Amino acid sequence: MTPDEHRLLIETREMAEENNRILKGLQRTNRASLAFKIVYWVVVLGVLSGALYFLQPYIDTVKSSLSIQ
């Protein structure tokens, strides 16, 4: 192996390692983003269902006063 080939091999290896570190960071960021999105939607749906639970008596009162079935 000539010195030029050896230098190119070393540079290629260093670039591959750097790319691997960047890709792992992107993957970690994407996983964290997905987890936060899931938590966000669980909270939103929980708040909505809780609001519906507390507003249900008022909704029933309005329904019965308007005689909507």
Side-chain angles (χ1 to χ4, degrees), residues 12-27:
T12 304
R13 179 174 181 234
E14 290 171 354
M15 274 196 283
E17 288 174 353
E18 181 183 3
N19 287 342
N20 193 24
R21 282 192 302 272
I22 291 169
L23 289 173
K24 284 185 179 182
L26 287 171
Q27 187 178 29

Side-chain angles (χ1 to χ4, degrees), residues 36-65:
F36 284 122
K37 285 179 186 177
I38 290 171
V39 169
Y40 172 81
W41 282 110
V42 166
V43 168
V44 166
L45 294 174
V47 167
L48 287 175
S49 64
L52 180 63
Y53 174 77
F54 285 111
L55 292 176
Q56 192 64 42
Y58 300 110
I59 293 170
D60 291 340
T61 303
V62 170
K63 276 184 177 179
S64 65
S65 69

